[in-house]
């Protein structure tokens, strides 16, 4: 009976120190990000930048990211994952400071993507490798489920609080508050020493991953949806709702509902084939983007934001569990190589999607055509093996 109770418990058991540190870091890091996340494109929009220019901003980010991610991996493998994450947090703060300064110095719009790409390049290879090597195989789904639930908890608190701060005190206070939390978020990682610092990122390992998992290169193009959650969808919400506080409130409500699904999906992912969950989830999530033309009022925007959070969460847990499973299969050198493969693949997919979106908007197409494109791209998750 005790064994059965353990097997079907929603939460992972007997966490090692590394996983606990990752949990704390993930919550604080994402709390900082969630304060600002949906307001970054809205901020650019309020400065007079149109949808096409905002899309070009993210093209610059992900082209630079695809070029710089191997440098971040080399740093992480030489100096340690925790030190790499800390440096990434510094890059994030610099990025926010530059982004706010665009109001007074418009030319800085060209510098901001560079520091955002640096942040991604130093953070994600290290973070993914850390989780891959720290999580336990028998309960990886639940550990990822709890990890993602903590991220969602941060995104429950952050958007509403960020909307309140930006409306009452302005974007400067919002960026400063987020920056302080971001810098502090690395502290939990340093309550124990580095573990996986003595290894090397090698291009031949990266090539080995490409040869072994060619379909996964295209599978990660499903992250096209993440690009739109990051840029055009927040702007569209703002255009319909016309109030940053209400945008934050809508995002908070939607995230609460999405988080309810997170732990359950994490539990199921430990006892079922992860691909059997990813495929139907990707179809459901893709359909929510195809039908987004119906989001024309506050209530329908809320409905589709709920569907966005729910669909994204249901896809993310088995997808990330599968990703970390692949990364942990052959030790630290392979883990960092697979992490670079993962991040490079999604960066290429986002660049392709952004360029296609720019072409649609530049030719006079509706933003709903872009959302439809994203719905189709989301189906690429089904290529993951």
């Amino acid at each position: 009976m005790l064994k059965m109770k353990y097997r079907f418990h929603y939460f992972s058991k007997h966490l090692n120190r590394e996983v606990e540190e990752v949990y704390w870091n993930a919550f604080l890091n994402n709390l900082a990000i969630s304060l600002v996340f949906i307001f970054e494109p809205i901020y650019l929009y309020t400065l007079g930048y149109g949808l096409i220019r905002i899309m070009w901003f993210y093209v610059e980010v992900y082209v630079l990211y695809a070029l710089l991610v191997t440098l971040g991996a080399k740093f992480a493998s030489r100096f340690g994952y925790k030190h790499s994450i800390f440096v990434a947090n510094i890059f994030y703060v610099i990025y926010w400071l530059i982004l706010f300064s665009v109001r007074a110095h418009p030319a800085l719009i060209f510098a901001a993507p560079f520091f955002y790409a640096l942040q991604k390049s130093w953070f994600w290879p290290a973070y993914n490798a850390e989780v891959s090597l720290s999580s336990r195989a028998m309960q990886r789904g639940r550990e990822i489920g709890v990890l993602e639930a903590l991220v969602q908890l941060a995104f429950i608190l952050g958007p509403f609080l960020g909307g309140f701060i930006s409306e009452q005190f302005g974007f400067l206070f919002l960026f400063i508050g987020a920056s302080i939390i971001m810098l502090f978020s690395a502290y939990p990682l340093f309550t124990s020493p580095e573990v996986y610092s003595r290894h090397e990122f090698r291009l031949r390992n990266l090539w080995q991953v490409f040869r072994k998992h060619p379909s996964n290169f295209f599978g990660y193009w499903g992250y096209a949806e993440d690009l739109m959650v990051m840029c055009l969808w927040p702007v569209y919400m703002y255009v319909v709702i016309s109030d940053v506080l209400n945008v934050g409130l809508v995002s908070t409500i939607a995230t609460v509902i999405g988080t309810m699904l997170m732990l359950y999906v994490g539990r199921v992912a430990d006892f079922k084939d992860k691909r059997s969950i990813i495929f139907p989830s990707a179809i459901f999530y893709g359909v929510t983007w195809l039908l987004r033309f119906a989001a024309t009022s506050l209530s329908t925007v809320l409905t589709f934001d709920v569907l966005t959070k729910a669909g994204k969460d249901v896809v993310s847990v088995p997808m990330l569990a599968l990703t970390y499973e692949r990364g942990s299969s052959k030790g630290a050198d392979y883990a960092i190589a697979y992490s670079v493969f993962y991040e490079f693949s999604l960066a290429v997919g986002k660049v392709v999607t952004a360029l296609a979106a720019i072409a649609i908007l530049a030719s006079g197409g509706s933003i709903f055509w872009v959302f439809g494109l994203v719905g189709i791209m989301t189906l690429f998750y089904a290529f993951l093996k």
Side-chain angles (χ1 to χ4, degrees):
M1 180 65 70
L2 289 176
K3 184 177 180 180
M4 291 297 292
K5 182 178 180 181
Y6 164 72
R7 278 177 56 82
F8 290 98
H9 202 279
Y10 285 95
F11 298 95
S12 45
K13 294 282 189 176
H14 308 299
L15 298 177
N16 63 45
R17 181 69 172 271
E18 294 293 316
V19 173
E20 291 180 356
E21 292 171 358
V22 168
Y23 280 176
W24 277 107
N25 169 257
F27 174 74
L28 293 172
N29 183 280
N30 283 278
L31 179 60
I33 293 172
S34 67
L35 286 172
V36 178
F37 182 73
I38 64 172
F39 302 109
E40 289 177 16
I42 292 173
Y43 168 73
L44 292 175
Y45 186 77
T46 60
L47 293 183
Y49 294 96
L51 296 182
I52 292 177
R53 182 63 187 91
I54 291 173
M55 290 305 306
W56 275 117
F57 179 90
Y58 287 98
V59 168
E60 294 169 42
V61 169
Y62 284 100
V63 167
L64 289 168
Y65 183 28
L67 296 173
L68 296 172
V69 65
T70 56
L71 296 180
K74 284 184 176 293
F75 182 94
S77 61
R78 180 175 180 181
F79 296 102
Y81 304 149
K82 299 177 182 183
H83 288 84
S84 188
I85 290 172
F86 178 68
V87 172
N89 291 351
I90 295 174
F91 285 141
Y92 221 146
V93 170
I94 295 173
Y95 160 67
W96 281 333
L97 291 174
I98 292 174
L99 194 65
F100 179 78
S101 300
V102 167
R103 181 189 298 271
H105 305 284
L108 290 176
I109 191 72
F110 298 103
F114 176 71
F115 284 94
Y116 198 9
L118 285 176
Q119 183 275 331
K120 289 179 174 295
S121 299
W122 260 249
F123 181 84
W124 285 113
Y127 179 84
N128 291 331
E130 173 85 3
V131 176
S132 293
L133 295 169
S134 300
S135 57
R136 299 173 62 196
M138 69 175 293
Q139 59 181 23
R140 184 170 285 117
R142 278 169 291 173
E143 289 190 1
I144 301 305
V146 173
L147 179 61
E148 289 297 293
L150 287 172
V151 170
Q152 296 306 310
L153 177 60
F155 273 81
I156 289 171
L157 301 173
F160 177 74
L161 184 58
F164 175 79
I165 293 173
S166 60
E167 185 170 88
Q168 296 296 318
F169 306 103
F171 285 107
L172 175 60
F173 282 88
L174 183 63
F175 289 138
I176 290 174
S179 297
I180 293 171
I181 298 174
M182 176 61 71
L183 292 175
F184 181 74
S185 70
Y187 172 76
L189 296 176
F190 290 95
T191 57
S192 68
E194 288 278 8
V195 177
Y196 300 106
S197 57
R198 294 185 178 180
H199 65 282
E200 185 178 352
F201 169 72
R202 298 179 176 89
L203 288 176
R204 70 170 179 266
N205 288 340
L206 178 61
W207 177 241
Q208 181 184 4
V209 175
F210 269 99
R211 293 183 62 184
K212 187 174 182 180
H213 302 285
S215 66
N216 286 11
F217 171 72
F218 295 102
Y220 292 124
W221 285 25
Y223 268 101
E225 52 80 18
D226 187 69
L227 175 68
M228 292 306 150
V229 171
M230 180 186 301
C231 56
L232 291 193
W233 178 242
V235 173
Y236 180 79
M237 291 171 63
Y238 176 73
V239 169
V240 174
I241 300 174
S242 301
D243 182 85
V244 290
L245 182 59
N246 285 335
V247 169
L249 181 59
V250 165
S251 183
T252 292
I253 294 171
T255 305
V256 169
I257 297 173
T259 304
M260 293 177 183
L261 296 172
M262 185 70 69
L263 296 175
Y264 174 76
V265 175
R267 187 189 73 169
V268 171
D270 278 332
F271 305 108
K272 292 189 67 175
D273 176 30
K274 296 173 181 62
R275 291 191 65 219
S276 69
I277 305 173
I278 293 172
F279 181 69
S281 301
I283 293 176
F284 166 76
Y285 190 24
V287 170
T288 70
W289 284 100
L290 291 170
L291 298 178
R292 207 148 297 214
F293 61 85
T296 56
S297 64
L298 191 151
S299 60
T300 52
V301 165
L302 173 60
T303 299
F304 276 95
D305 203 40
V306 168
L307 293 173
T308 295
K309 299 297 192 301
K312 186 174 180 63
D313 292 347
V314 173
V315 171
S316 290
V317 174
M319 184 272 294
L320 288 173
L322 181 67
T323 297
Y324 296 141
E325 183 179 292
R326 296 290 177 266
S328 66
S329 61
K330 294 183 180 179
D333 286 359
Y334 191 82
I336 196 73
Y338 193 91
S339 180
V340 171
F341 166 75
Y342 166 44
E343 295 298 328
F344 178 82
S345 301
L346 68 87
V348 172
K350 289 186 178 184
V351 170
V352 170
T353 305
L355 290 174
I358 289 169
I360 291 171
L361 294 172
S363 64
S366 166
I367 192 173
F368 297 120
W369 284 104
V370 177
F371 292 158
L373 167 68
V374 174
I376 295 171
M377 294 294 291
T378 301
L379 300 179
F380 276 54
Y381 280 129
F383 286 110
L384 292 173
K385 296 180 179 179

